[in-house]
Every structure is written in structure tokens, then in C-alpha cells.
């Protein structure tokens, strides 16, 4: 598997990409968090809805299938997938508000709720067993999930023949320690990503057969740079300005993403996409 392309190439990709349409109204900057403005409301994946659909396209989803979706932004991502593919989604997010039970049916029935949101505990993952046809995991290691615990729990939740897409960062085996690694961990408020070797071993030990492993570093860098370019352009054209607190949050967010991209470019981290099936 080739290493990630340099960020220079990613920057070139951003320059060649079609410009995003300008917003219809000035960007609201009341919120100190900037993730919604970068990736889309409720999402935590660079590339936003387009990236979510690209990952979901690897799975044979339909209105007759169910999907286990785990990771930050899982609820928003689940709504995107359910609307586009019609699948029933069990979304597990550390920050999700659980879906309330439906009210008693009176008169005309409302359309069924296709996305069921629930919180999950990354250090002790547990899902309803044998319920889901397929699984999509969006950076689950970011919240502290360990591959030897997470992947068996996911396998137990799936039906025979299920397919899985896992998208996450791993530490490259044998890579030199980057001095920015510790600061990046603090900026993203996370533990160290698992080693690539450990993730591969856990994937196999959980009963998954690997079909494709793809390095997503270059595409990830391009999506991050494109989103930040768009956000800064909108901010520069907005008649209002962020408060000092909001500006500090923006700078911290930018530093965290720049550190992430630097670690990917240096080879210390790899952003990999696994596509496999349950043996």
C-alpha cells in the first residue's frame, strides 16, 4: 500500500477542484465550535456528506438492509445514508441523544424512523447481537475504542455474510516518533491510535476477511484543505467577526487539523479504509 501523497499534491487537488457555491447568507458564528461549518451539520468527517456516501457506496445497502454506524457524527451520517439508500440505521455516537420511542399511533401513521440514535461507550463497546446486515465505522478509535474490544463487538452485532467498512487512523509500524504527536493528541483530546499491525490482527481475529485496504491520506488532506479554504473565504466576506473566544476556538481547531495532516504526510500516521466481510 503506498504512503500518503504529499500535502503539496493535496493542495494542488484543492486548487483544481470546482469552487463551492457561495452561501446564501452570512455564516453564523454564534457557536464556538467550527466542525459543523467545515464538514456539515453534525458531521465529523472531512468531505462531509460526499465522503460519507463514498464510504457507504462500498456496502450493498437497500431499504431491506440494516446498517450499524459507529463513530463521531454517526447520527448525522446515518440520516444521509438512510435518505440516499433507504437502509435502516443503528447510529452509535458518543455525543448522540438517544432516539425517543415513537408516540402511540393515532389516526394516520407517520413514516417510520429509519435512524435510531444511541450513545456508546468506546472503552467497553456493546451492540445488540445479530441484528445488522452491514457496518460502517467512522474513526471509532478516536474516542478510545481499542480494536481487540471493538471489532469482536461489531462482529457479534452482524448477521452471517455481513460486510464492513472501517475508516480510521493507525500508527505506522516502525515510523519515527514525531515531536508534534503528543501535542496533536492533546489538541484532538484523544489517545494514541492503535498500531497498524494491531488493527490488522484484531480485524482478522474478530472473524473478518479483508477484501481491500486503501490509504485515504491524500484524499483526506485534500478534503481538509478545501473545507478550510472555503470557511476562511466565507469568514473574510462576512460582515460580522468572531468573538475572541470563537477566534481562539477556530485557531485551536485549525492547529489540530494541521498537526494531523503533518503526521500523515510524515508517515507517522496512516488513514486507512478497510473493506471486508464476516467469515
Amino acid at each position: 500500500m503506498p504512503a500518503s501523497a504529499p500535502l503539496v499534491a493535496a493542495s494542488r487537488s484543492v486548487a483544481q477542484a470546482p469552487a463551492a457555491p457561495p452561501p446564501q447568507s452570512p455564516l453564523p458564528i454564534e457557536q464556538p465550535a467550527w466542525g459543523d461549518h467545515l464538514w456539515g451539520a453534525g458531521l465529523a468527517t472531512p468531505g462531509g456528506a460526499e465522503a460519507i456516501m463514498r464510504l457507504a457506496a462500498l456496502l450493498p445497502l437497500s431499504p431491506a438492509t440494516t446498517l450499524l454506524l459507529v463513530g463521531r457524527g454517526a447520527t448525522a451520517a446515518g440520516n444521509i445514508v438512510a435518505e440516499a439508500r433507504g437502509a435502516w440505521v443503528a447510529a452509535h455516537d458518543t455525543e448522540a441523544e438517544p432516539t425517543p420511542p415513537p408516540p402511540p399511533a393515532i389516526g394516520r401513521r407517520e413514516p417510520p424512523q429509519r435512524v435510531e440514535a444511541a450513545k456508546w461507550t468506546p472503552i467497553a463497546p456493546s451492540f445488540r447481537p445479530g441484528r445488522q446486515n452491514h457496518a460502517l465505522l467512522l474513526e471509532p478509535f478516536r474516542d478510545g475504542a481499542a480494536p481487540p474490544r471493538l471489532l469482536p463487538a461489531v462482529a457479534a452485532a452482524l448477521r452471517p455474510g455481513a460486510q464492513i467498512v472501517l475508516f480510521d487512523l493507525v500508527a505506522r509500524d516502525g515510523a519515527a516518533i514525531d515531536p508534534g504527536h503528543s501535542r496533536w493528541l492533546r489538541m484532538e483530546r484523544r489517545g494514541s491510535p492503535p498500531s497498524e499491525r494491531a488493527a490488522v490482527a484484531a480485524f482478522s481475529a474478530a472473524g473478518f476477511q479483508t477484501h481491500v485496504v486503501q490509504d485515504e491520506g491524500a484524499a483526506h488532506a485534500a478534503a481538509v484543505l478545501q473545507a478550510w479554504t472555503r470557511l476562511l473565504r466565507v469568514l473574510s466576506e462576512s460582515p460580522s467577526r468572531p468573538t475572541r473566544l470563537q477566534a481562539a476556538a477556530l485557531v485551536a481547531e485549525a492547529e489540530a487539523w494541521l498537526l494531523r495532516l503533518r503526521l500523515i504526510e510524515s508517515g507517522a500516521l496512516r488513514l486507512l479504509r478497510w473493506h471486508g466481510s464476516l467469515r
Side-chain angles (χ1 to χ4, degrees):
M1 294 173 288
S4 301
L7 295 190
V8 174
S11 303
R12 201 174 295 128
S13 299
V14 172
Q16 295 171 352
Q24 299 301 311
S25 59
L27 179 72
I29 56 174
E30 294 80 14
Q31 302 176 6
W34 295 95
D36 286 359
H37 303 311
L38 287 164
W39 326 124
L43 296 175
T45 304
E50 183 179 345
I52 298 299
M53 287 308 305
R54 182 170 58 84
L55 294 169
L58 299 170
L59 300 170
L61 301 176
S62 73
T65 58
T66 56
L67 175 68
L68 176 67
L69 210 163
V70 181
R72 290 193 189 182
T75 305
N79 288 325
I80 292 168
V81 174
E83 182 177 352
R85 304 290 296 277
W88 300 83
V89 180
H92 292 262
D93 193 331
T94 53
E95 300 176 356
E97 291 296 328
T99 301
I106 300 176
R108 185 176 178 181
R109 297 185 63 183
E110 295 293 325
Q113 177 71 36
R114 287 190 170 267
V115 179
E116 181 180 359
K119 288 189 177 182
W120 72 303
T121 306
I123 60 172
S126 177
F127 312 105
R128 296 175 68 180
R131 294 295 299 270
Q132 311 302 330
N133 294 115
H134 306 292
L136 173 57
L137 313 183
L138 300 172
E139 291 198 56
F141 307 148
R142 184 174 181 178
D143 290 314
R149 292 178 181 168
L150 172 64
L151 293 169
V154 171
L158 298 176
R159 296 174 181 174
Q163 295 189 34
I164 180 174
V165 171
L166 168 60
F167 178 79
D168 213 331
L169 286 165
V170 293
R172 190 171 185 179
D173 299 315
I177 300 298
D178 188 291
H181 186 83
S182 296
R183 181 165 180 78
W184 170 68
L185 295 179
R186 292 195 301 272
M187 296 298 295
E188 285 207 3
R189 298 183 298 278
R190 62 177 296 158
S192 293
S195 73
E196 183 175 347
R197 185 176 302 154
V200 169
F203 197 77
S204 178
F208 292 110
Q209 178 180 358
T210 301
H211 301 314
V212 176
V213 181
Q214 179 69 39
D215 192 315
E216 294 276 347
H220 188 70
V224 170
L225 294 172
Q226 186 175 31
W228 276 99
T229 298
R230 182 171 60 247
L231 174 60
L232 295 177
R233 183 172 62 247
V234 171
L235 283 174
S236 69
E237 296 172 354
S238 175
S240 55
R241 290 290 180 266
T243 65
R244 183 173 299 180
L245 177 63
Q246 293 164 343
L250 179 65
V251 171
E253 186 89 11
E255 182 179 1
W257 284 100
L258 286 172
L259 285 169
R260 175 189 276 232
L261 296 191
R262 193 183 84 180
L263 290 167
I264 292 174
E265 182 183 26
S266 72
L269 296 178
R270 300 185 76 192
L271 182 67
L272 299 180
R273 167 176 55 80
W274 281 270
H275 182 203
S277 58
L278 192 62
R279 285 195 294 262

